[in-house]
Amino acid sequence: MEFAAEQTARRVTRGLDRLGSPPHPRDVLRVTLMEMLPLHPDACATSRMSAAYTLEALHDPVLHEQARLGLHDGRALTERLIRQAIADGHLPRIVNRRSRRTSCSR
């Protein structure tokens, strides 16, 4: 699984390196999602490995914890990128009408 994560990280890094400086948050999200979703052969291969790893993690406590931390870190990175895009005015601030908090607020 670490190999799959490293390959995905390399693809994301290559994609980010091709963006302008500083890259637009929308472009960062696009590159990241394009490399994480199974939309081309390399991403399909790592997606299959991730799915197998996730299934194995259901039965192995050590793998379960690694998967949990990986998902947490990925979610946190995505949330930071979205919050930055909102702060920079690239995305509208979405308000939950019931609580008057942003959709990502806790």
Side-chain angles (χ1 to χ4, degrees), residues 7-106:
Q7 295 303 308
T8 300
R10 283 189 187 122
R11 290 193 315 270
V12 169
T13 299
R14 280 194 306 265
L16 295 177
D17 287 346
R18 290 190 291 265
L19 298 177
S21 182
H24 191 286
R26 181 178 49 234
D27 294 330
V28 172
L29 285 170
R30 181 184 47 76
V31 166
T32 303
L33 291 173
M34 291 294 293
E35 293 304 336
M36 293 177 69
L37 297 173
L39 301 175
H40 57 80
D42 290 341
C44 285
T46 52
S47 178
R48 287 185 188 116
M49 283 190 277
S50 295
Y53 172 78
T54 300
L55 289 172
E56 185 64 26
L58 293 173
H59 306 287
D60 183 319
V62 173
L63 291 179
H64 179 86
E65 182 61 13
Q66 287 175 338
R68 187 188 71 74
L69 291 173
L71 289 170
H72 178 269
D73 291 348
R75 182 185 181 280
L77 172 61
T78 303
E79 185 175 337
R80 279 195 309 274
L81 289 169
I82 291 170
R83 287 181 184 278
Q84 185 62 51
I86 291 169
D88 292 346
H90 299 298
L91 291 174
R93 182 177 177 88
I94 300 170
V95 177
N96 181 330
R97 296 185 194 282
R98 290 185 197 158
S99 67
R100 295 288 180 209
R101 297 184 306 175
T102 62
S103 58
C104 293
S105 296
R106 293 181 186 182

